[in-house]
Amino acid sequence: AQRVTQPEKLLSVFKGAPVELKCNYSYSGSPELFWYVQYSRQRLQLLLRHISRESIKGFTADLNKGETSFHLKKPFAQEEDSAMYYCALLNQAGTALIFGKGTTLSVSS
Amino acid sequence: NAGVTQTPKFQVLKTGQSMTLQCAQDMNHEYMSWYRQDPGMGLRLIHYSVGAGITDQGEVPNGYNVSRSTTEDFPLRLLSAAPSQTSVYFCASRPTGTGIYGYTFGSGTRLTVV
């Protein structure tokens, strides 16, 4: 079965604290994974793709096939990082994304 | 290059009414999808298309129809609106080939059925 699990509905941190948003997946073969961010009532924006191994807005995510995880990390949270974050997996056929239920990140000063 | 454009942005329907949510993209993307976003449920796939004339059902297709007569447009039809269809609807598209580019999303349609 293809599935994405984000175990935390809400993650609250203080400004400057490290952040880790968890994502686990279930997939046969080599997955294509993404992190999307949605600021208040706006469209989803692509934040990271695992294949490009990039760092965007200070966020990174590493694919761990042994643990079937793709956690999103940032060493020092900023208030402007407050948003909903979705982990997504391209389905086996490559025809659509499978989303986790999302984690709301709240960064306060 | 406008990306993915959805209209309307907001809509209120009465139970039993029908309507069409519009989605258009100008990036020549073959793959398009419709999702609904509900609190605590994430985004769930309604229907998707891999090219003009080719559509298929997703996870929650009941009560919705789609067609894809052109590469650019992928409208979503609500046949007889029900309060359970109150949601935010997102359209997304991506080019063919591997999925490394991810999907580009529209700004959404917020639908309320009363």
Side-chain angles (χ1 to χ4, degrees), chain A residues 19-72:
Chain A
V19 170
E20 183 179 51
L21 299 168
K22 291 184 168 51
C23 172
N24 289 91
Y25 66 90
S26 174
Y27 188 86
S28 295
S30 294
E32 293 192 44
L33 286 152
F34 307 86
W35 276 99
Y36 281 84
V37 59
Q38 184 182 31
Y39 300 102
S40 180
R41 294 198 167 200
Q42 295 184 22
R43 73 180 71 203
L44 276 76
Q45 301 173 37
L46 180 61
L47 183 61
L48 286 176
R49 302 165 289 179
H50 91 271
I51 199 164
S52 57
R53 301 184 63 81
E54 59 205 337
S55 174
I56 304 293
K57 300 184 180 183
F59 284 98
T60 59
D62 289 317
L63 176 62
N64 186 322
K65 288 188 176 181
E67 297 183 357
T68 59
S69 68
F70 187 55
H71 302 328
L72 184 67

Coordinates of all heavy atoms in Angstrom, one line a residue, chain A residues 19-72:
Chain A
V19 N 13.6 22.7 14.4 CA 12.3 22.2 14.0 C 12.5 20.9 13.3 O 13.5 20.8 12.4 CB 11.6 23.1 13.1 CG1 10.3 22.5 12.4 CG2 11.2 24.4 13.8
E20 N 11.7 19.9 13.6 CA 11.7 18.6 12.8 C 10.3 18.2 12.6 O 9.5 17.9 13.6 CB 12.5 17.5 13.5 CG 12.5 16.3 12.6 CD 13.3 15.1 13.2 OE1 13.0 14.8 14.4 OE2 14.2 14.6 12.6
L21 N 9.8 18.2 11.4 CA 8.5 17.8 11.0 C 8.6 16.3 10.5 O 9.3 16.1 9.5 CB 7.8 18.7 10.0 CG 7.7 20.1 10.4 CD1 7.3 21.0 9.2 CD2 6.6 20.2 11.5
K22 N 7.9 15.4 11.1 CA 8.1 14.0 10.7 C 7.2 13.6 9.6 O 6.0 14.0 9.4 CB 7.8 13.1 12.0 CG 8.9 13.3 13.0 CD 8.6 12.3 14.2 CE 9.8 12.3 15.1 NZ 10.3 13.5 15.6
C23 N 7.8 12.7 8.7 CA 7.0 12.1 7.6 C 7.5 10.7 7.4 O 8.7 10.5 7.3 CB 7.2 12.9 6.4 SG 6.5 12.1 4.9
N24 N 6.6 9.7 7.5 CA 6.9 8.3 7.1 C 6.1 7.9 6.0 O 5.0 8.4 5.8 CB 6.7 7.4 8.4 CG 7.7 7.7 9.4 OD1 7.5 8.5 10.3 ND2 8.8 7.0 9.4
Y25 N 6.6 7.0 5.2 CA 5.9 6.6 4.0 C 5.9 5.0 3.9 O 6.7 4.4 4.5 CB 6.5 7.2 2.8 CG 7.9 6.7 2.5 CD1 8.1 5.6 1.6 CD2 9.0 7.4 3.0 CE1 9.4 5.2 1.4 CE2 10.3 6.9 2.8 CZ 10.5 5.8 1.9 OH 11.8 5.3 1.7
S26 N 5.0 4.6 3.1 CA 4.9 3.2 2.7 C 4.9 3.1 1.2 O 4.0 3.7 0.6 CB 3.6 2.5 3.3 OG 3.5 1.2 2.9
Y27 N 5.8 2.4 0.6 CA 6.0 2.4 -0.9 C 6.9 1.2 -1.3 O 7.9 0.9 -0.6 CB 6.6 3.7 -1.3 CG 6.6 3.9 -2.8 CD1 5.5 4.5 -3.4 CD2 7.7 3.6 -3.5 CE1 5.5 4.7 -4.8 CE2 7.7 3.8 -4.9 CZ 6.6 4.4 -5.5 OH 6.7 4.6 -6.9
S28 N 6.5 0.6 -2.4 CA 7.4 -0.5 -2.9 C 8.3 0.1 -4.0 O 7.7 0.7 -5.0 CB 6.6 -1.6 -3.5 OG 5.8 -2.3 -2.6
G29 N 9.6 0.0 -3.8 CA 10.5 0.6 -4.8 C 11.1 1.9 -4.4 O 11.2 2.2 -3.2
S30 N 11.5 2.7 -5.3 CA 12.1 4.0 -5.0 C 11.1 5.1 -5.0 O 10.6 5.5 -6.1 CB 13.3 4.3 -6.0 OG 14.3 3.3 -5.9
P31 N 10.8 5.7 -3.9 CA 9.8 6.7 -3.8 C 10.3 8.1 -4.4 O 11.5 8.4 -4.3 CB 9.5 6.8 -2.3 CG 10.8 6.5 -1.7 CD 11.4 5.5 -2.6
E32 N 9.3 8.9 -4.8 CA 9.6 10.3 -5.1 C 8.8 11.1 -4.1 O 7.5 11.1 -4.1 CB 9.2 10.6 -6.6 CG 10.1 9.9 -7.6 CD 9.9 10.4 -9.0 OE1 9.9 11.7 -9.1 OE2 9.8 9.6 -9.9
L33 N 9.5 11.8 -3.3 CA 8.8 12.5 -2.1 C 9.0 14.0 -2.2 O 10.0 14.5 -2.7 CB 9.5 12.0 -0.8 CG 9.0 10.6 -0.4 CD1 10.1 9.8 0.4 CD2 7.7 10.6 0.3
F34 N 8.1 14.7 -1.6 CA 8.0 16.1 -1.7 C 7.5 16.7 -0.3 O 6.8 16.0 0.4 CB 7.1 16.6 -2.8 CG 7.3 16.0 -4.1 CD1 6.8 14.8 -4.5 CD2 8.1 16.7 -5.0 CE1 7.0 14.3 -5.7 CE2 8.4 16.2 -6.3 CZ 7.8 15.0 -6.6
W35 N 7.9 17.9 -0.1 CA 7.3 18.7 1.0 C 6.7 19.9 0.4 O 7.3 20.6 -0.4 CB 8.4 19.1 2.0 CG 8.7 18.1 3.1 CD1 9.7 17.2 3.1 CD2 7.9 17.8 4.2 NE1 9.6 16.4 4.2 CE2 8.5 16.8 4.9 CE3 6.7 18.4 4.8 CZ2 8.0 16.3 6.1 CZ3 6.2 17.8 6.0 CH2 6.8 16.8 6.6
Y36 N 5.4 20.1 0.7 CA 4.7 21.3 0.3 C 4.4 22.2 1.5 O 4.2 21.6 2.6 CB 3.4 20.9 -0.4 CG 3.5 20.5 -1.8 CD1 3.9 19.2 -2.1 CD2 3.4 21.4 -2.8 CE1 4.0 18.8 -3.4 CE2 3.5 21.0 -4.2 CZ 3.9 19.7 -4.5 OH 4.0 19.4 -5.8
V37 N 4.3 23.5 1.3 CA 4.0 24.4 2.4 C 2.7 25.2 2.0 O 2.6 25.6 0.8 CB 5.1 25.3 2.8 CG1 5.6 26.2 1.6 CG2 4.8 26.2 4.0
Q38 N 1.9 25.4 3.0 CA 0.7 26.2 2.7 C 0.6 27.3 3.8 O 0.3 27.0 4.9 CB -0.6 25.4 2.7 CG -1.9 26.1 2.3 CD -3.1 25.3 2.4 OE1 -3.2 24.3 3.2 NE2 -4.1 25.6 1.5
Y39 N 0.8 28.6 3.4 CA 0.6 29.7 4.3 C -0.9 30.0 4.3 O -1.6 29.6 3.5 CB 1.5 30.9 3.8 CG 2.9 30.6 3.8 CD1 3.6 30.3 2.6 CD2 3.7 30.5 5.0 CE1 4.9 30.0 2.6 CE2 5.0 30.2 4.9 CZ 5.6 29.9 3.7 OH 7.0 29.6 3.7
S40 N -1.2 30.7 5.4 CA -2.7 30.9 5.7 C -3.6 31.1 4.5 O -3.5 32.1 3.8 CB -2.8 32.0 6.7 OG -4.2 32.2 7.0
R41 N -4.4 30.1 4.2 CA -5.4 30.1 3.2 C -4.9 30.4 1.8 O -5.6 31.0 1.0 CB -6.5 31.2 3.6 CG -7.3 30.8 4.8 CD -8.6 31.6 4.9 NE -9.5 31.0 5.8 CZ -10.8 31.2 5.9 NH1 -11.3 32.0 5.0 NH2 -11.5 30.7 6.8
Q42 N -3.6 30.0 1.5 CA -3.1 30.2 0.2 C -2.9 28.9 -0.5 O -3.3 27.9 0.0 CB -1.7 31.0 0.4 CG -1.9 32.4 0.9 CD -0.6 33.1 0.9 OE1 0.4 32.8 0.2 NE2 -0.5 34.2 1.7
R43 N -2.4 29.0 -1.7 CA -2.1 27.7 -2.4 C -1.0 27.0 -1.9 O -0.1 27.5 -1.2 CB -1.9 28.1 -3.9 CG -0.5 28.7 -4.2 CD -0.4 28.9 -5.7 NE -1.3 30.0 -6.1 CZ -1.7 30.2 -7.4 NH1 -1.3 29.4 -8.3 NH2 -2.5 31.2 -7.7
L44 N -0.9 25.7 -2.2 CA 0.2 24.9 -1.8 C 1.4 25.3 -2.7 O 1.3 25.4 -3.9 CB -0.1 23.4 -1.9 CG -0.8 22.7 -0.8 CD1 -2.3 23.1 -0.8 CD2 -0.6 21.2 -0.8
Q45 N 2.6 25.4 -2.0 CA 3.8 25.7 -2.7 C 4.8 24.6 -2.5 O 5.0 24.1 -1.4 CB 4.4 27.0 -2.2 CG 3.5 28.2 -2.3 CD 4.1 29.4 -1.7 OE1 5.3 29.6 -1.7 NE2 3.3 30.2 -1.1
L46 N 5.5 24.2 -3.6 CA 6.5 23.1 -3.4 C 7.7 23.7 -2.7 O 8.2 24.7 -3.0 CB 6.9 22.7 -4.8 CG 8.0 21.6 -4.9 CD1 7.5 20.3 -4.2 CD2 8.4 21.3 -6.3
L47 N 8.0 23.0 -1.6 CA 9.1 23.5 -0.8 C 10.4 22.7 -1.1 O 11.5 23.3 -1.3 CB 8.8 23.3 0.7 CG 9.8 23.7 1.8 CD1 10.0 25.2 1.6 CD2 9.4 23.4 3.2
L48 N 10.3 21.4 -1.1 CA 11.5 20.5 -1.3 C 11.1 19.3 -2.1 O 10.0 18.8 -2.0 CB 12.1 20.1 0.0 CG 12.9 21.0 0.8 CD1 13.3 20.4 2.1 CD2 14.1 21.5 0.1
R49 N 12.1 18.8 -2.9 CA 12.0 17.5 -3.6 C 13.2 16.7 -3.1 O 14.3 17.2 -3.1 CB 12.1 17.7 -5.1 CG 11.0 18.6 -5.7 CD 11.4 19.0 -7.1 NE 12.5 19.9 -7.1 CZ 13.1 20.4 -8.2 NH1 12.6 20.0 -9.4 NH2 14.1 21.3 -8.2
H50 N 12.9 15.5 -2.8 CA 14.0 14.7 -2.2 C 15.1 14.5 -3.3 O 16.3 14.4 -2.9 CB 13.5 13.3 -1.7 CG 13.6 12.2 -2.7 ND1 12.5 11.9 -3.6 CD2 14.6 11.3 -3.0 CE1 12.9 10.9 -4.4 NE2 14.1 10.5 -4.0
I51 N 14.7 14.4 -4.5 CA 15.7 14.0 -5.6 C 16.7 15.1 -5.8 O 17.8 14.9 -6.3 CB 14.9 13.7 -6.9 CG1 15.8 12.8 -7.8 CG2 14.4 14.9 -7.6 CD1 15.1 12.2 -8.9
S52 N 16.3 16.4 -5.4 CA 17.3 17.5 -5.7 C 18.2 17.8 -4.5 O 19.1 18.6 -4.7 CB 16.5 18.7 -6.1 OG 15.6 19.1 -5.1
R53 N 17.9 17.2 -3.4 CA 18.7 17.4 -2.2 C 19.0 18.9 -2.0 O 20.2 19.3 -1.7 CB 20.0 16.6 -2.3 CG 19.7 15.1 -2.5 CD 21.1 14.3 -2.5 NE 21.8 14.4 -1.2 CZ 21.5 13.7 -0.2 NH1 20.5 12.8 -0.2 NH2 22.2 13.9 0.9
E54 N 18.1 19.7 -2.1 CA 18.3 21.2 -2.0 C 17.9 21.7 -0.6 O 17.4 20.9 0.2 CB 17.4 21.9 -3.0 CG 16.0 21.6 -2.9 CD 15.2 21.8 -4.2 OE1 15.7 22.5 -5.1 OE2 14.1 21.1 -4.3
S55 N 18.2 22.9 -0.3 CA 17.8 23.6 0.9 C 17.1 24.8 0.5 O 17.6 25.7 -0.2 CB 19.1 23.9 1.7 OG 18.7 24.7 2.9
I56 N 15.9 24.9 1.0 CA 15.0 26.1 0.6 C 14.6 26.7 1.9 O 14.1 26.0 2.8 CB 13.8 25.6 -0.2 CG1 14.2 24.9 -1.4 CG2 12.9 26.8 -0.5 CD1 14.9 25.7 -2.5
K57 N 14.8 28.0 2.0 CA 14.4 28.8 3.2 C 15.0 28.2 4.5 O 14.4 28.2 5.6 CB 12.9 28.9 3.4 CG 12.2 29.6 2.2 CD 10.7 29.7 2.4 CE 10.1 30.4 1.2 NZ 8.6 30.6 1.4
G58 N 16.1 27.5 4.4 CA 16.8 26.9 5.5 C 16.3 25.5 5.8 O 16.9 24.9 6.8
F59 N 15.3 25.0 5.1 CA 14.8 23.7 5.4 C 15.6 22.7 4.6 O 15.9 22.9 3.4 CB 13.3 23.6 5.0 CG 12.4 24.3 5.9 CD1 11.9 25.5 5.7 CD2 11.9 23.6 7.1 CE1 11.0 26.2 6.6 CE2 11.1 24.2 7.9 CZ 10.6 25.5 7.7
T60 N 15.7 21.5 5.1 CA 16.3 20.3 4.4 C 15.5 19.1 4.8 O 14.8 19.1 5.8 CB 17.8 20.1 4.8 OG1 17.8 19.9 6.2 CG2 18.7 21.3 4.4
A61 N 15.6 18.1 3.9 CA 14.9 16.8 4.2 C 15.7 15.8 3.6 O 16.1 15.9 2.4 CB 13.5 16.8 3.6
D62 N 16.0 14.7 4.3 CA 16.8 13.6 3.8 C 15.9 12.3 3.8 O 15.2 12.0 4.7 CB 18.0 13.3 4.7 CG 19.0 14.4 4.6 OD1 19.3 14.8 3.4 OD2 19.6 14.9 5.6
L63 N 16.0 11.6 2.6 CA 15.3 10.4 2.5 C 16.1 9.3 3.2 O 17.2 9.1 2.9 CB 15.1 10.0 1.0 CG 14.5 8.7 0.7 CD1 13.1 8.7 1.2 CD2 14.5 8.5 -0.8
N64 N 15.4 8.6 4.1 CA 16.0 7.5 4.9 C 15.2 6.2 4.5 O 14.1 6.0 5.1 CB 16.0 7.7 6.4 CG 16.7 6.6 7.1 OD1 16.6 5.5 6.8 ND2 17.4 7.0 8.2
K65 N 15.7 5.5 3.6 CA 15.0 4.3 3.1 C 14.8 3.2 4.1 O 13.8 2.5 4.2 CB 15.6 3.8 1.8 CG 15.4 4.6 0.6 CD 15.9 4.0 -0.7 CE 15.6 4.8 -1.9 NZ 16.1 4.2 -3.2
G66 N 15.9 3.1 5.0 CA 15.8 2.1 6.0 C 14.7 2.3 7.0 O 14.0 1.4 7.4
E67 N 14.5 3.6 7.3 CA 13.4 4.0 8.3 C 12.1 4.5 7.5 O 11.2 4.9 8.2 CB 13.9 5.1 9.2 CG 15.0 4.7 10.1 CD 15.4 5.8 11.1 OE1 14.9 6.9 11.0 OE2 16.4 5.5 11.9
T68 N 12.1 4.4 6.2 CA 11.1 4.9 5.4 C 10.6 6.3 5.9 O 9.4 6.5 6.1 CB 9.9 3.9 5.3 OG1 9.4 3.7 6.6 CG2 10.3 2.6 4.6
S69 N 11.5 7.2 6.0 CA 11.2 8.5 6.5 C 11.7 9.6 5.6 O 12.7 9.4 4.8 CB 11.7 8.7 7.9 OG 13.1 8.7 7.9
F70 N 11.1 10.8 5.7 CA 11.5 11.9 4.9 C 11.2 13.2 5.8 O 10.4 14.0 5.4 CB 10.8 12.0 3.6 CG 11.3 13.0 2.6 CD1 12.6 13.1 2.2 CD2 10.3 13.9 2.1 CE1 13.0 14.1 1.4 CE2 10.7 14.9 1.2 CZ 12.1 15.0 0.8
H71 N 11.9 13.2 6.9 CA 11.6 14.3 7.9 C 12.1 15.6 7.4 O 13.2 15.7 6.8 CB 12.2 14.0 9.2 CG 11.8 12.7 9.8 ND1 10.5 12.2 9.6 CD2 12.4 11.8 10.6 CE1 10.4 11.0 10.2 NE2 11.5 10.8 10.8
L72 N 11.4 16.7 7.7 CA 11.8 18.1 7.3 C 12.4 18.7 8.5 O 11.8 18.7 9.6 CB 10.5 18.8 6.9 CG 10.7 20.3 6.3 CD1 11.5 20.2 5.0 CD2 9.4 21.0 6.2

